[in-house]
Amino acid sequence: MGLGIIGWLVIGVVAGWLAEKVMGRNHGLLTNLVVGVVGALLGGFISNNLLGVPVGGFNLVTLLVAFGGACLLLFLLGLVKRR
C-alpha cells in the first residue's frame, strides 16, 4: 500500500524534524517538511537501488529511511554551504 499526500506530509514533517534535531539545525516547519520529503526520496532511492530493499507504505521502516535520507541531505548541504 502506497502513501497518499497526507502520508507524505506526515512522514516528511516527522523525518525533517528528527533530522533537524540530530544534525543540530534550527529550521521551521516548512523547511522540515521539504527536508523530510526530499530526504524520503533520497533515502528511498538509496534503499531501493543501492541496497535492493524496496520501501513503501506508512510504517516505521519508511520513517527510518526518510529520516536517514533527511540526515544525509542536511549533511551534504552543510558540506556545500561551508565552501
Side-chain angles (χ1 to χ4, degrees), residues 1-82:
M1 184 171 153
L3 286 176
I5 188 71
I6 300 299
W8 274 93
L9 295 176
V10 170
I11 293 286
V13 168
V14 172
W17 179 80
L18 287 172
E20 170 189 67
K21 298 303 176 197
V22 168
M23 299 299 288
R25 307 290 172 89
N26 190 17
H27 302 129
L29 181 65
L30 184 60
T31 303
N32 286 342
L33 173 63
V34 171
V35 167
V37 170
V38 173
L41 292 171
L42 179 62
F45 176 81
I46 290 170
S47 174
N48 192 28
N49 294 312
L50 299 180
L51 302 176
V53 179
V55 177
F58 193 77
N59 55 44
L60 183 62
V61 174
T62 302
L63 178 60
L64 291 174
V65 167
F67 166 69
C71 287
L72 178 61
L73 177 64
L74 289 177
F75 174 75
L76 293 174
L77 288 174
L79 289 178
V80 169
K81 201 172 182 182
R82 285 186 192 150

